[in-house]
Amino acid sequence: MTLRLATVRNRAHFVIGDNSDPRIVDVAKASNNALPSDPMECLARWSELQAFAQTLDTSSAVAVTLEELDCPVPRPRQMFAIGLNYKKHAAEMGSPLPPLPLVFSKFQSSLNSPAGDVTVVGETVDYESELVIIVGKGGRDIVEANAWQHIAGLCVGQDVSDRGLQYMGSPAQFNMGKSRRGFSPIGPWVTDMTNNPNRDNLHLGCTVNGEKRQDTQTNDMIFDIAHIVSYLSTVVELFPGDVIYTGSPFGVGHGHKPPRYMKPGDVVETTLEGVGTIRNRFV
Ligand code: ZN
């Protein structure tokens, strides 16, 4: 069974069943408290959860809706994001291709749940669909060949961006415009990719009010998942539960002519193949 870890009412849960009909089992209860109820501790003990999931008794599983899910990684020690990591997206932003990963931070207080609302703070709020890496085993100087062994799993996320704030100064600065309240929804759960042979070539996209806006394969990334993990670890130490946004493909609102920014009432559905869908209403 593929391990998927959701947070519901602040407790870690195994997810079973189809992504379209998910059911959950409380991790601590199912293991007689041999495993923790705290999602962050579960991410630090990922290999134990992987082993336990293989023999999980699913008879107590209950149905869960997207709206009931909390942010699956509630308290990451660090949150990284990579900018301009798809060629066509760099072009639509009028930026040259970065010679090394362009790293910025989305601050932790911007995290949001998979169906959380996002406040439209001005005229230039934008969406960015992204594949999000969740670190399992941390470390420094992780070589690319071992990088996946340090990844608990993937989430789908939105790197919501206040373009006005991002581009107000010269040079532009990313951290603040991407860290407003609710600007970092991720979910619907952390999906282990150990046994997914397509983990470097997944379909990623989003719709706004049902209209397709972003549509890509993740093998179009300039710097791939293993490279990003390895590169970050040459500079900083990675810790269990760290969140790494990996960049948005072509099709953000800012790239349209004229730009198409978010309005109150808009609904963005973001899907990553093999991982699931999050749905966020802009209010
Ligand atoms: Zn982004």
Side-chain angles (χ1 to χ4, degrees), residues 70-74 76 79-81 104-119 126 128 130 132 134 155-161 174-187 243 245 278 280 282:
D70 298 320
C71 176
V73 187
M79 280 178 66
F80 306 94
F104 61 95
S105 180
K106 285 172 76 67
F107 294 111
Q108 289 86 335
S109 58
S110 65
L111 277 171
N112 200 347
S113 53
D117 289 346
V118 180
T119 302
D126 203 356
E128 292 192 355
E130 303 202 12
V132 179
I134 310 300
C155 288
V156 61
Q158 271 293 332
D159 174 15
V160 182
S161 304
F174 288 16
N175 298 14
M176 300 304 281
K178 287 161 175 283
S179 293
R180 288 191 185 273
R181 183 200 299 257
F183 271 27
S184 304
I186 61 172
V243 168
Y245 277 73
I278 61 174
N280 301 97
F282 285 69

